[in-house]
């Protein structure tokens, strides 16, 4: 649970941070989507995509279009993953565009990263942008900009 510290007359008073209900609707959709993605909840993810949805990992120069192709990609990418989460440092939106800055944390088999027989644990800094069709509650575009150099540095020590 996050706490915000306010200084009032030299006292520090913990106050709960906003919950989903206090966020703009676009950010609420983003949190629902990221939760489904990191929990590998492909049944829920199906409802966020349609045949025109685009996933683009700009740093890796990889693009997938359409529900089926995006779900197949995530299914392959997450194969055997033991833990997957996004630690959000900052999130904001401009209309239906939501920008998320944070660290994707991954713990899983090293085979996908050239470390067979090992369990790897990495935190990859990145920026995720999500553009929503608000009337349909669908993701029109999911774009990732990931710091793969930091990931490579972390993998070299494991």
């Amino acid at each position: 649970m996050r706490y915000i510290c306010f200084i009032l007359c030299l006292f520090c008073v913990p106050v709960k941070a906003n919950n989903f209900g206090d966020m703009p609707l676009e950010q609420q959709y983003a949190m629902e989507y990221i939760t489904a993605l990191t929990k590998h909840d492909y049944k829920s993810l199906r409802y966020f995509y349609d045949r025109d949805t685009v996933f683009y990992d700009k740093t890796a120069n990889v693009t997938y279009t359409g529900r089926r192709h995006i779900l197949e990609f995530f299914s392959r990418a997450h194969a055997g993953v033991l833990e997957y989460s996004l630690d959000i440092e900052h999130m904001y939106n401009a209309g239906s565009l939501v920008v998320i800055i944070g660290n994707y944390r991954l713990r899983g088999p090293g085979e996908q990263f050239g470390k067979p027989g090992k369990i790897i644990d990495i935190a990859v800094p990145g920026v995720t942008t999500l553009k929503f069709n608000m009337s349909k509650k669908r993701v029109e575009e999911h774009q990732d900009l990931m710091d793969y150099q930091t990931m490579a540095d972390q993998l070299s020590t494991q």
Side-chain angles (χ1 to χ4, degrees), residues 96-156:
S96 64
L97 177 68
V98 179
V99 178
I100 303 169
I101 301 167
N103 289 287
Y104 283 93
R105 301 186 77 64
L106 175 77
R107 185 172 171 274
E111 283 77 13
Q112 292 183 354
F113 299 96
K115 303 282 184 173
K118 292 187 174 188
I119 298 295
I120 56 111
D121 192 354
I122 56 176
V124 183
V127 176
T128 294
T129 62
L130 302 169
K131 183 162 178 40
F132 287 96
N133 175 324
M134 295 304 293
S135 64
K136 294 181 179 180
K137 192 179 173 182
R138 297 277 193 264
V139 175
E140 291 179 348
E141 181 181 271
H142 171 167
Q143 180 174 278
D144 281 340
L145 296 156
M146 308 306 290
D147 183 352
Y148 289 123
Q149 183 58 54
T150 296
M151 180 178 83
D153 294 345
Q154 291 175 27
L155 287 170
S156 71

Side-chain angles (χ1 to χ4, degrees), residues 26-88:
E26 295 85 357
Q27 291 183 27
Q28 291 179 44
Y29 287 174
M31 292 305 299
E32 290 174 22
Y33 173 73
I34 292 296
T35 298
L37 181 64
T38 58
K39 289 185 181 282
H40 309 188
D41 183 355
Y42 300 115
K43 184 177 178 183
S44 294
L45 282 174
R46 291 184 55 75
Y47 295 104
F48 282 100
Y49 305 136
D50 62 25
R51 64 181 159 174
D52 297 320
T53 302
V54 176
F55 168 79
Y56 182 39
D57 183 335
K58 189 168 182 153
T59 317
N61 198 26
V62 173
T63 303
Y64 295 94
T65 302
R67 174 186 296 130
R68 183 172 58 88
H69 296 289
I70 295 168
L71 289 171
E72 285 173 356
F73 165 72
F74 282 131
S75 179
R76 282 191 316 273
H78 298 158
V81 170
L82 303 171
E83 295 173 26
Y84 181 48
S85 65
L86 173 58
D87 297 331
I88 297 173

